[in-house]
Amino acid sequence: MSDHAHDHAHGDATVVALGAVTAGGTRFAVDREGEPEAGAACTFGVERVDGGGATPTEAWIVDPRGDVISDETVGEGHDEHWHFAITPYAGYIPSAFVLRAAAEDSAGCCYGSLMGAVEESAPLALATGAAPRHGGILAAGLTRDGEDAGFVELK
């Protein structure tokens, strides 16, 4: 578990924890602030959770068919946490978040894609329409088989 305090000023932002993905051999927790809608920016928070050494490089949104429907966006990072402001293209249905991360060598340098150490995550569902109702943060729940089990609101 990271010691990163999520103390940014969010105002009335609605935070929904979407779950976790693995990219570049590292596990990352992902949340979204706001509702992902075509033509409107949505901010995704990505946090390293397993001590792995990969660094997120880009993220994007895909539609239900898996087609890319946003620009590949470079995140802004601090500590073990990155923010990606992604705007799905107008006229498309946003469905899932995809993260690309690059592994680091022992000197802390990211390997380039020519060395094959850059990896994309599996798509992570956006939980469209899910939102906290009592001022907390929604956390995703999964069954033992990895299927969606709904959300619990944490305060």
Side-chain angles (χ1 to χ4, degrees):
M1 188 127 175
S2 172
D3 60 359
H4 170 75
H6 202 92
D7 58 358
H8 314 291
H10 292 292
D12 293 329
T14 301
V15 179
V16 176
L18 300 177
V21 296
T22 300
T26 300
R27 194 93 169 133
F28 298 94
V30 180
D31 64 52
R32 66 170 168 78
E33 296 178 20
E35 186 68 28
E37 297 174 342
C42 183
T43 299
F44 294 85
V46 174
E47 188 158 347
R48 193 179 292 143
V49 294
D50 71 356
T55 299
T57 56
E58 296 96 17
W60 57 91
I61 301 296
V62 297
D63 67 9
R65 296 183 316 199
D67 295 331
V68 176
I69 61 164
S70 72
D71 292 336
E72 293 182 3
T73 304
V74 175
E76 294 182 24
H78 56 90
D79 302 319
E80 301 291 313
H81 191 85
W82 294 263
H83 294 270
F84 294 86
I86 304 175
T87 303
Y89 302 143
Y92 292 89
I93 299 170
S95 177
F97 171 89
V98 180
L99 180 69
R100 180 179 293 139
E104 296 178 353
D105 64 17
S106 60
C109 298
C110 290
Y111 292 117
S113 59
L114 294 177
M115 299 185 75
V118 175
E119 179 182 80
E120 296 173 11
S121 72
L124 182 62
L126 296 176
T128 304
R133 303 288 184 241
H134 305 285
I137 294 175
L138 285 190
L142 298 175
T143 67
R144 289 179 188 230
D145 298 327
E147 299 296 320
D148 289 333
F151 294 88
V152 62
E153 186 168 355
L154 306 173
K155 286 188 103 168

